[in-house]
């Protein structure tokens, strides 16, 4: 069986822990490889290599570092199809969607190509008599990223793209469920000219994560995954004096006002709810039509739309979405559908029991639609992370704003309307970090910044854009005076705090 090794100091590194994780092909249900799970010692090996490499890398001028990013982008684009197929084979999403995963990551690499501009500091001439003040951004040192299964290319690139361009070295601990593409990304970074040790990949589970959180040489940790683990990572990392950003789960709402273009809203919400089998933190699993007429029309049209959806193997170019990541996850989703039924919601379309002919062991589940979902239901409060759309009816815009605002998660939200004033009020009032106006998946472009609120993010700095640059660098401020003793004489000692009076 194929074995997926760590990638440390520029080379494949066979682990010695004797512990492995199974890597499935979700389309067939078969185990296709096993991935090594690191010990704390193996993590330390990577950290030592990263710490050695970081010194020279930080001293490399930013333009040269940017050139590595340019070359990485070129190499990745040349291998896009091969990488997308590899990604799909471990994740289950359709190949076109895997290309989107890679492309979204590449857009952060494009941002990182402009890093010399982003790293420019500030300068004040004459802040006092003969005194100039300037600030500079310096890399934090060795950074680490812990990433989820659902975007095995994009999320690592969100992190290492900015961290490495700003002069840090990096340890990536990708999801053990789809670990192959992250290794390929590290290999391509070496091919692009990054020195050995600048990007390392250490596979693992809680043992590796805890080793990252406790390692004294790792200065910053970026995490993306489910909220309980995000909270744990944030608390333990911060307790150990590290800078930590930890993105968590989500339950994004799509509000439809009565004046919305319903044809477009149904298409947008179908793609956002069922694309990638709902395994996206920016999926739209809750729809909130305002008013009975809007709700009844939406329901009728969505049922018809669902009938047109094709679930297929990840290589089927005609499929809208593929299998979910594991049998356990499929069963968990089915469990939530049953919970919704038991709680009294109306199951309009039931995706359970879906089977793919010829792929009976694959992890497939059909699309489901619930109506009459109430905010008190557990199946509404929890993140299901599957192809399940829950409809919560609201009577007013105020009620529609209150639903996502009061929800424990606050990642993304969308409103569908032709009323600019209502959209503006909604965007201003809603207690959620990323808002779409007639945009179902409001993932900001790479030069803006990504991050949710409430239990969707712990820590206060977002991913990529200037927020990413801030996270991976620390500011040093220099106050400089060059007096001429011949001209200026010597100042007396001062025992009070210097002021600008
Ligand atoms: P997960 O929390 O199970 O795993 C994320 C990472 O944590 C993995 O690398 C995993 O190995 C590690 N991990 C798992 N259990 C651990 C433990 N007990 N202790 C320490 N580390 C542990 O998440 P997942 O299932 O891979 O990904 C799906 C989740 O990620 C969803 O909740 C989704 O909403 C979230 N997500 C959030 C964002 C965002 O930006 N907010 C983006 C993508 C995914």
């Amino acid at each position: 069986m194929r074995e997926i090794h760590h990638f440390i100091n520029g080379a494949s590194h066979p682990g010695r822990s004797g512990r492995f994780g199974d890597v499935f092909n979700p389309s067939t249900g078969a185990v296709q490889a096993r991935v090594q799970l690191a010990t704390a010692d193996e993590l330390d090996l990577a950290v030592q290599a990263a710490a050695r490499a970081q010194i020279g890398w930080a001293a490399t001028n930013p333009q040269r570092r940017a050139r590595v990013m340019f070359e990485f982008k070129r190499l990745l684009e040349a291998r896009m199809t091969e990488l997308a197929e590899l990604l799909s084979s471990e994740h289950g999403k359709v190949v076109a969607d895997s290309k989107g995963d890679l492309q979204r990551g590449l857009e952060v690499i494009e941002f990182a190509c402009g890093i010399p501009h982003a790293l420019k500091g500030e300068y004040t001439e004459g802040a006092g008599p003969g005194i100039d003040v300037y600030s500079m951004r310096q890399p934090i040192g060795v950074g680490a990223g812990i990433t989820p299964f659902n975007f095995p290319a994009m999320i690592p690139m969100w992190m290492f793209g900015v961290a490495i361009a700003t002069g840090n070295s990096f340890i990536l601990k990708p999801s053990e469920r789809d670990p192959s593409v992250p290794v390929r990304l590290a290999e391509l970074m070496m091919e692009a000219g990054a020195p050995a040790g600048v990007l390392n990949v250490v596979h693992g589970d809680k043992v590796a994560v805890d080793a990252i959180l406790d390692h004294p040489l790792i200065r910053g940790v970026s995490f993306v995954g489910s909220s309980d683990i995000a909270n744990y990572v944030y608390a333990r990392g911060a307790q150990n004096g590290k800078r930590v950003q930890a993105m968590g789960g989500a339950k994004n709402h799509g509000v439809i006002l009565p004046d919305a273009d319903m044809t477009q809203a149904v298409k947008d919400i179908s793609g956002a709810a069922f694309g990638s089998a709902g395994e996206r933190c920016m999926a739209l699993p809750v729809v909130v039509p305002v008013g009975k007429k809007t709700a009844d029309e939406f329901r009728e049209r969505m049922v018809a739309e669902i009938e047109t959806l094709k679930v297929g193997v990840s290589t089927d170019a005609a499929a809208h979405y593929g299998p979910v990541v594991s049998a356990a996850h499929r069963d968990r989703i089915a469990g939530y559908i049953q919970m919704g039924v038991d709680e009294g919601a109306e199951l309009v379309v039931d995706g359970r029991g879906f089977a793919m002919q010829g792929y009976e062991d694959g992890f497939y589940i059909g699309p489901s639609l619930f109506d009459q979902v109430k905010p008190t239901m557990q199946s509404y409060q929890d993140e299901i992370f599957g192809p399940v759309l829950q409809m919560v009816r609201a009577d007013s815009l105020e009620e529609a704003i209150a639903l996502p605002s009061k929800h424990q998660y606050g990642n993304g939200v969308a409103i569908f309307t032709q009323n600019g004033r209502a959209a503006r009020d909604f965007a201003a009032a809603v207690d959620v970090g990323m808002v779409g106006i007639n945009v179902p998946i409001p993932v900001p472009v790479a030069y803006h910044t990504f991050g949710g609120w409430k239990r969707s993010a712990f820590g206060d700095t977002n991913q990529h854009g200037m927020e990413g640059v801030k996270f991976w660098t620390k500011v040093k401020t220099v106050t400089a005076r060059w007096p001429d003793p011949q001209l200026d004489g010597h100042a007396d000692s001062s025992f009070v705090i210097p002021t600008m009076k």
Side-chain angles (χ1 to χ4, degrees):
M1 171 142 334
R2 184 164 66 94
E3 227 172 68
I4 301 165
H5 295 171
H6 311 299
F7 186 82
I8 297 175
N9 203 23
S12 180
H13 182 88
R16 295 198 183 85
S17 72
R19 294 194 309 124
F20 297 90
D22 286 336
V23 178
F24 288 88
N25 178 342
S27 290
T28 62
V31 177
Q32 57 164 319
R34 58 180 201 164
V35 60
Q36 290 164 345
L37 303 176
T39 61
D41 286 347
E42 285 164 336
L43 185 270
D44 179 60
L45 206 63
V47 177
Q48 299 302 337
R52 283 194 302 276
Q54 198 266 332
I55 297 163
W57 183 241
T60 304
N61 75 53
Q63 215 159 343
R64 288 194 173 188
R65 295 201 300 254
R67 283 187 196 130
V68 172
M69 299 324 248
F70 273 110
E71 179 60 5
F72 175 70
K73 169 177 151 61
R74 194 187 67 77
L75 293 172
L76 209 156
E77 278 169 345
R79 290 165 174 82
M80 179 68 90
T81 301
E82 159 206 334
L83 287 170
E85 285 168 357
L86 179 61
L87 195 160
S88 287
S89 78
E90 294 182 357
H91 178 288
K93 63 174 94 174
V94 294
V95 173
D97 201 27
S98 291
K99 286 185 178 169
D101 186 334
L102 286 150
Q103 178 58 29
R104 269 285 178 171
L106 264 185
E107 289 167 14
V108 174
I109 301 301
E110 286 168 351
F111 169 75
C113 288
I115 212 69
H117 182 68
L119 283 177
K120 285 188 303 189
E122 295 175 328
Y123 193 97
T124 302
E125 184 192 18
I131 295 177
D132 303 325
V133 178
Y134 59 95
S135 63
M136 55 182 113
R137 292 205 161 270
Q138 296 188 327
I140 59 173
V142 179
I146 301 159
T147 55
F149 82 85
N150 69 325
F151 281 99
M154 175 184 81
I155 293 177
M157 283 190 267
W158 279 0
M159 299 174 179
F160 79 69
V162 181
I164 291 178
T166 51
N168 301 284
S169 56
F170 202 80
I171 314 287
L172 173 62
K173 204 305 282 172
S175 170
E176 62 276 38
R177 290 188 259 178
D178 43 16
S180 290
V181 166
V183 174
R184 292 289 294 128
L185 297 179
E187 289 169 351
L188 289 180
M189 276 292 286
M190 300 298 114
E191 202 179 325
V198 163
L199 176 56
N200 308 277
V201 180
V202 175
H203 302 291
D205 52 9
K206 183 170 167 35
V207 173
V209 171
D210 286 349
I212 287 172
L213 298 173
D214 294 343
H215 202 295
L217 287 181
I218 295 179
R219 304 280 188 229
V221 177
S222 182
F223 172 92
V224 177
S226 51
S227 289
D228 287 347
I229 298 172
N231 196 357
Y232 166 77
V233 164
Y234 178 72
R236 185 157 172 170
Q239 180 69 34
N240 286 331
K242 297 181 200 315
R243 194 175 277 196
V244 188
Q245 53 177 196
M247 277 61 193
K251 188 95 179 201
N252 304 331
H253 294 53
V255 172
I256 308 179
L257 296 191
D259 68 353
D261 175 344
M262 188 59 90
T263 306
Q264 190 61 54
V266 168
K267 287 192 179 306
D268 284 349
I269 292 173
S270 171
F274 303 119
S276 197
E279 293 173 318
R280 291 185 185 136
C281 70
M282 289 299 273
L284 245 184
V286 179
V287 61
V288 185
V290 175
K292 182 173 185 316
K293 190 164 167 284
T294 316
D296 291 345
E297 187 185 349
F298 175 81
R299 171 175 164 160
E300 190 185 326
R301 295 233 211 153
M302 184 51 85
V303 170
E305 187 71 19
I306 287 174
E307 276 166 17
T308 69
L309 293 184
K310 181 173 187 215
V311 183
V313 293
S314 61
T315 48
D316 179 354
H320 294 101
Y321 74 84
V324 298
V325 71
S326 66
H329 190 49
R330 180 198 51 207
D331 296 346
R332 182 177 172 275
I333 296 165
Y336 269 113
I337 295 172
Q338 188 55 44
M339 182 193 288
V341 172
D342 295 344
E343 288 178 316
E346 183 190 351
L347 184 57
V348 183
V349 180
D350 187 354
R352 293 172 296 181
F354 176 92
M356 272 286 294
Q357 219 183 347
Y359 295 89
E360 284 74 12
D361 293 333
F363 311 139
Y364 300 93
I365 183 157
S368 294
L369 175 67
F370 274 105
D371 193 359
Q372 305 297 343
V373 174
K374 304 291 175 216
T376 48
M377 294 176 179
Q378 191 68 43
S379 57
Y380 165 78
Q381 289 161 6
D382 291 356
E383 178 184 46
I384 300 176
F385 220 56
V388 181
L389 179 60
Q390 295 169 297
M391 195 161 131
V392 185
R393 293 171 176 241
D395 289 329
S396 64
L397 176 59
E398 292 66 35
E399 205 184 312
I401 293 174
L403 283 163
S405 296
K406 289 186 179 156
H407 202 281
Q408 61 166 329
Y409 296 115
N411 216 34
V413 71
I415 185 166
F416 299 87
T417 180
Q418 299 187 49
N419 180 337
R421 176 62 197 260
R424 187 173 184 276
D425 288 351
F426 178 85
V430 74
D431 193 9
V432 171
M434 292 175 279
V435 181
I437 297 174
N438 298 314
V439 171
I441 305 182
V443 177
V445 290
Y447 45 95
H448 280 260
T449 181
F450 183 105
W453 289 2
K454 298 179 283 183
R455 276 179 58 77
S456 292
F458 302 83
D460 55 9
T461 315
N462 282 356
Q463 300 279 350
H464 62 71
M466 283 310 292
E467 289 264 308
V469 174
K470 267 167 118 180
F471 184 78
W472 295 112
T473 56
K474 45 193 181 180
V475 179
K476 185 178 280 177
T477 308
V478 180
T479 303
R481 182 164 67 113
W482 297 97
D484 182 341
Q486 306 292 326
L487 287 177
D488 306 327
H490 288 98
D492 289 336
S493 307
S494 174
F495 299 94
V496 295
I497 180 87
T499 67
M500 287 295 126
K501 208 169 169 191

